[in-house]
Amino acid sequence: MSASLIALDVMGGDDAPRATLAGALAAVSGKGTLRVPPARLLLVGDQPRMEAMLRELGGDPGFQFQHAAQVIEMGESPAQALRAKPDSSIGRCVQAVREKRASAVVGMGNTGACVGAATLGLGTIPGVRRPGIAVTLNLTGQPVTILDMGANIAPKADHLLQYGAMGSVYAQSCLGQARPRVGLLNVGEEKGKGTDLLKEAHELLAASGLEFVGNVEGGDIFRGVCDIVVTDGFTGNVILKLLEQFASFLTAKILGELKKSGVDLTGATLGNLKAVIDYKSYGGALLLGVNGVVIIGHGRSDEKAIANAIGQAVRAADAGVTEHIGRGLAAPSRSS
Amino acid sequence: MSASLIALDVMGGDDAPRATLAGALAAVSGKGTLRVPPARLLLVGDQPRMEAMLRELGGDPGFQFQHAAQVIEMGESPAQALRAKPDSSIGRCVQAVREKRASAVVGMGNTGACVGAATLGLGTIPGVRRPGIAVTLNLTGQPVTILDMGANIAPKADHLLQYGAMGSVYAQSCLGQARPRVGLLNVGEEKGKGTDLLKEAHELLAASGLEFVGNVEGGDIFRGVCDIVVTDGFTGNVILKLLEQFASFLTAKILGELKKSGVDLTGATLGNLKAVIDYKSYGGALLLGVNGVVIIGHGRSDEKAIANAIGQAVRAADAGVTEHIGRGLAAPSRSS
C-alpha cells in the first residue's frame, strides 16, 4: 500500500494538460513539498496529447499512463457529465482507486464532478455519513484545517461531529498534530450560541472524546485557538473564497501603497512578501470520508501548486488516512 | 426632524466613558467624517462621571445631557440585563428616540443589549419582518453594504428579500448609490445553487424590482460586482469577524516581512499602509428596520471610530433612512 500509485487527472484544470504535466514533472524533480518517484504517478488522460505535451516539456521521466478519451469541462453539470462521459479522465482516476491499482486521486478540474465521481465510485468509509472537504491553511505557521468547505451545504449535527473526528484523524496522521483541538465555528464563544443545528453539534462534540475547545468565531481562525475548525459547507465555501480573494486584494493594495510612497522593493523582498500570503503551498482540498485519498486542486493551480497537491496525496496515502478514519470513527474517543 | 438629537450611550464600550467622550469631542471638532454641532449630541450616562471626565478632556463645548444610573456590561445576558436595569444608559438612549427627543442612537456597548433595546423599545417599521444589521465596507473605494451581520442567524427567505430592499434604500439615501446592485451570497453563481432557503430568496429577489444581479460568491465582495450583499446573520457575523482579524493579521505579517527584509518605512508610509486596511473610517453597524436610526459601534472603538459613528448617525437621521425604508418596503419595485 505504501508505494501505490497516485492517479493524476491530467485533463482537469484551466491550463490542462500543460499545467498538470508541468506539475507532475515538478513533483518528480523535487520542486514541490515532497520529491515523488515518477513510477508512482499514473497520468490519466488523452494519451497522444499527454505524450506530445511531455515531449514539449522535456521528456517523460518514467511515468505510468492510462488513456481516457473524454474530459469533463469546468462548466458542465457534474451529475449529467458523469453519466454522459463514461471514459472521462476523472472517472478513470477514480476507477483506478476503486480497483486498487492506485490509492489516491489528484484532480484540478470540475470540483463537483470530482466529488461526485469519488463519492459514487469509491463509496464512503463504513460509519461515515457524509464526506466533507477539508482545507488546511498554514498562515500562522501552525496548520489549521477547516471542514466542510462545500461538499455538504446543509449538514446535520452528526455530520458536523464526524467532520471534527475526520479532521482530527487527518491532522494526527498527516500534519503531526498529536491531539488536535477541535473548534465549532459559531457567532459567539458561549455554549448556547448559534442555530439549533450548532447547539446540537456542540453537545455531540463535547461528548465525543475529541479535544473539543467549544465554539470559535470567524477571527479565531488566525488566533491559534484550535487546529480543526468545523463548519457547514456553505459557510466554509464562502470563507474559503473570501480569504483567497481578500489576501490577493489586500496584498495588491499594500504593494500599490508602498510603490506610491516611493518604497522600492527588491525582487527578493517582493518574493518573500508574496510567499507570506501564498495559498499554493497548502496543496489542495482533501475529500475526507470516501474510500481512498482524493485531493481536489484549484482549477487555476500552477505547476508548483500541482506538485504540492501530488505531494500531499502521497503523504495522505502513505499515512493511511482512509484506514485511520475508518478506525477513528469506530472509536472516536480513543482516537488519540 | 433634520436637526434632531443623536443620543450617545456614553457608558458603552471597552474604554467608556473616556473613549466615548473623546469621540464626541472629536466629532464636534471635525475629526470624524462630518463636523457635528455639540448641541446635537445628547450624552446619556452617569452625569457626574461624564462631567468629571469632560473636564479632564478639556471641557464641555455645549453638549446636552441625560442622566442614567445603570450600565449594561459587555458580558451580560441582553434580555436579563434589559429587564434588571430599567435605568440603563442604552435603554435611556432608545427611550429618547421613542419619545421623539432624538432621532438616532449610537452605542458601543453590549451589541445584543443594543439590538434588544432598540427592537423592543422602538418596534419595527411597518412592513418590516425582522431588523437586520448592515455594515458598509469601503475597501475597494466603492462602498459595499453587507447585511445581515448577526441580528437574525436563521432567517426566512422573505427576511432576506427585505434585507436586499432595506440595504438598497440605505445605499440610495446615505451612500449616494442611485440604483444599488443587490447580490445574494451563495456557493456559486448559477441560479440553482445553495440551500432551499437561498433558492427561494433568489426567486423573491429576482421578482422584487430591485436591481438584483443574482448569486455572488465570497470573493465577489472585493470585486465590485454588487453594492449590497444579502446573507443570513450567521454567515455575515462569521465573515465580519474573519475580515477584521485577517486584515490585521495579514498587515502584521507583511510589515514584519518588510522589516526582516530591511525595508525601512517612514512614519508617513506606515500611516498610509495602515489607512489602507483601516476599518475605523466606515463608522459602525446600522440596525435597519427599527423605528429610528441605530448605530452599533465596536466595543474597542477609539475616538476616531466613535466620531465617525456619530457622523454616520447624523447622516442617516438627516437623510430620513427610517422613513425611506417604510416607503420603500411599501413599494419596493418603485424604490429607485
Side-chain angles (χ1 to χ4, degrees):
Chain A
M1 190 73 178
S2 75
S4 60
L5 293 173
I6 308 300
L8 175 66
D9 175 7
V10 173
M11 311 311 286
D14 294 350
D15 191 25
R18 174 182 293 275
T20 35
L21 290 172
L25 291 167
V28 162
S29 62
K31 285 182 197 154
T33 46
L34 195 73
R35 180 185 294 270
V36 180
R40 281 203 69 180
L41 272 174
L42 177 67
L43 305 187
V44 181
D46 181 327
Q47 193 150 353
R49 275 190 75 190
M50 294 196 286
E51 286 170 352
M53 180 59 76
L54 273 177
R55 277 194 297 277
E56 205 178 297
L57 293 171
D60 169 15
F63 292 127
Q64 308 222 28
F65 291 90
Q66 176 170 348
H67 180 68
Q70 294 172 310
V71 182
I72 297 182
E73 306 292 344
M74 295 306 249
E76 287 189 82
S77 154
Q80 282 174 20
L82 287 168
R83 273 195 303 272
K85 296 181 172 174
D87 195 19
S88 72
S89 54
I90 186 67
R92 293 298 185 199
C93 285
V94 168
Q95 185 187 22
V97 174
R98 188 172 62 239
E99 294 172 354
K100 310 282 183 207
R101 291 178 287 116
S103 58
V105 172
V106 176
M108 254 67 57
N110 185 315
T111 298
C114 189
V115 172
T119 308
L120 294 172
L122 304 178
T124 50
I125 298 170
V128 171
R129 301 202 205 270
R130 284 289 293 271
I133 296 176
V135 168
T136 301
L137 302 179
N138 220 342
L139 286 165
T140 59
Q142 172 195 322
V144 176
T145 300
I146 312 179
L147 74 169
D148 169 49
M149 301 304 270
N152 186 3
I153 59 171
K156 302 206 183 308
D158 61 343
H159 302 165
L160 294 176
L161 167 65
Q162 291 204 330
Y163 292 155
M166 292 196 289
S168 294
V169 170
Y170 172 64
Q172 285 170 344
S173 55
C174 289
L175 304 174
Q177 294 175 321
R179 185 90 183 132
R181 295 159 303 162
V182 178
L184 180 64
L185 191 61
N186 209 327
V187 293
E189 288 174 16
E190 306 81 358
K191 195 186 163 195
K193 285 278 179 176
T195 56
D196 291 342
L197 169 75
L198 289 170
K199 288 176 200 167
E200 193 185 339
H202 192 288
E203 304 248 322
L204 293 177
L205 283 162
S208 68
L210 296 168
E211 190 73 19
F212 181 52
V213 299
N215 293 330
V216 297
E217 298 184 287
D220 292 332
I221 295 173
F222 313 102
R223 284 206 192 94
V225 300
C226 65
D227 308 301
I228 314 289
V229 175
V230 172
T231 189
D232 65 272
F234 181 83
T235 310
N237 183 279
V238 167
I239 287 178
L240 186 66
K241 289 173 178 166
L242 188 92
L243 285 180
E244 264 183 19
Q245 188 65 18
F246 192 45
S248 64
F249 164 77
L250 205 59
T251 309
K253 274 203 100 159
I254 287 171
L255 293 180
E257 189 53 47
L258 287 174
K259 202 172 170 188
K260 221 163 56 187
S261 300
V263 176
D264 209 9
L265 297 179
T266 65
T269 305
L270 206 62
N272 290 344
L273 265 190
K274 288 191 171 156
V276 160
I277 60 124
D278 185 10
Y279 274 82
K280 287 166 193 152
S281 53
Y282 318 131
L286 199 81
L287 181 64
L288 288 175
V290 294
N291 269 310
V293 170
V294 179
I295 309 279
I296 307 162
H298 207 292
R300 289 194 305 270
S301 296
D302 63 10
E303 85 178 56
K304 194 177 166 216
I306 293 166
N308 286 336
I310 293 169
Q312 186 187 14
V314 168
R315 207 175 279 125
D318 290 359
V321 169
T322 308
E323 297 73 17
H324 283 301
I325 286 177
R327 283 196 292 273
L329 286 188
S333 65
R334 286 167 211 168
S335 65
S336 66
Chain B
M1 190 73 180
S2 76
S4 59
L5 292 173
I6 309 300
L8 175 66
D9 175 8
V10 173
M11 310 312 285
D14 295 352
D15 192 23
R18 174 181 292 277
T20 34
L21 290 173
L25 290 168
V28 162
S29 62
K31 286 182 194 152
T33 47
L34 195 73
R35 181 185 294 268
V36 180
R40 281 205 68 180
L41 272 174
L42 177 67
L43 305 187
V44 181
D46 180 327
Q47 193 150 353
R49 276 189 75 189
M50 294 195 289
E51 285 170 352
M53 180 60 75
L54 272 177
R55 275 192 299 275
E56 206 178 297
L57 293 171
D60 168 15
F63 293 127
Q64 310 222 28
F65 292 89
Q66 175 168 350
H67 181 68
Q70 295 173 308
V71 181
I72 297 182
E73 306 292 344
M74 294 305 250
E76 286 190 83
S77 156
Q80 282 173 21
L82 287 168
R83 273 194 303 272
K85 296 182 172 172
D87 194 20
S88 72
S89 53
I90 186 68
R92 293 297 183 201
C93 286
V94 168
Q95 186 187 20
V97 173
R98 188 175 60 240
E99 294 172 355
K100 310 282 184 209
R101 289 179 287 118
S103 58
V105 172
V106 176
M108 256 64 61
N110 186 315
T111 298
C114 189
V115 171
T119 308
L120 295 172
L122 304 178
T124 49
I125 298 170
V128 170
R129 302 202 203 271
R130 284 289 293 271
I133 297 176
V135 168
T136 301
L137 302 179
N138 221 341
L139 286 163
T140 58
Q142 172 194 322
V144 176
T145 300
I146 312 180
L147 75 168
D148 168 51
M149 301 305 269
N152 186 2
I153 60 172
K156 303 207 184 309
D158 61 343
H159 302 166
L160 293 177
L161 167 65
Q162 291 204 328
Y163 292 155
M166 291 196 290
S168 293
V169 170
Y170 172 63
Q172 285 171 345
S173 55
C174 288
L175 304 173
Q177 295 175 320
R179 185 90 184 133
R181 295 159 304 162
V182 178
L184 179 65
L185 191 62
N186 208 329
V187 293
E189 287 172 17
E190 305 82 357
K191 193 185 161 195
K193 286 277 179 177
T195 56
D196 291 342
L197 169 74
L198 289 170
K199 288 176 199 167
E200 194 186 338
H202 192 289
E203 304 249 321
L204 293 177
L205 283 162
S208 68
L210 295 168
E211 190 73 20
F212 182 53
V213 298
N215 293 328
V216 297
E217 298 185 288
D220 291 331
I221 294 173
F222 313 102
R223 284 206 191 93
V225 301
C226 64
D227 308 300
I228 314 288
V229 175
V230 172
T231 190
D232 64 272
F234 181 83
T235 309
N237 184 280
V238 167
I239 286 177
L240 185 67
K241 290 174 177 164
L242 189 93
L243 285 179
E244 264 183 19
Q245 188 64 18
F246 192 46
S248 64
F249 164 77
L250 205 60
T251 309
K253 275 202 99 161
I254 287 172
L255 293 180
E257 189 53 48
L258 287 173
K259 202 171 172 189
K260 225 164 52 187
S261 301
V263 177
D264 210 9
L265 298 179
T266 64
T269 305
L270 206 63
N272 289 344
L273 265 189
K274 288 189 172 158
V276 161
I277 59 124
D278 184 9
Y279 275 83
K280 288 165 195 153
S281 53
Y282 317 131
L286 199 82
L287 181 64
L288 288 176
V290 293
N291 269 313
V293 170
V294 179
I295 309 279
I296 307 162
H298 207 292
R300 289 195 304 273
S301 296
D302 64 8
E303 84 178 58
K304 194 177 168 216
I306 294 165
N308 286 337
I310 293 169
Q312 187 186 11
V314 169
R315 208 174 278 125
D318 290 357
V321 169
T322 308
E323 296 73 18
H324 283 302
I325 286 178
R327 283 196 291 274
L329 287 187
S333 65
R334 286 168 211 167
S335 66
S336 66

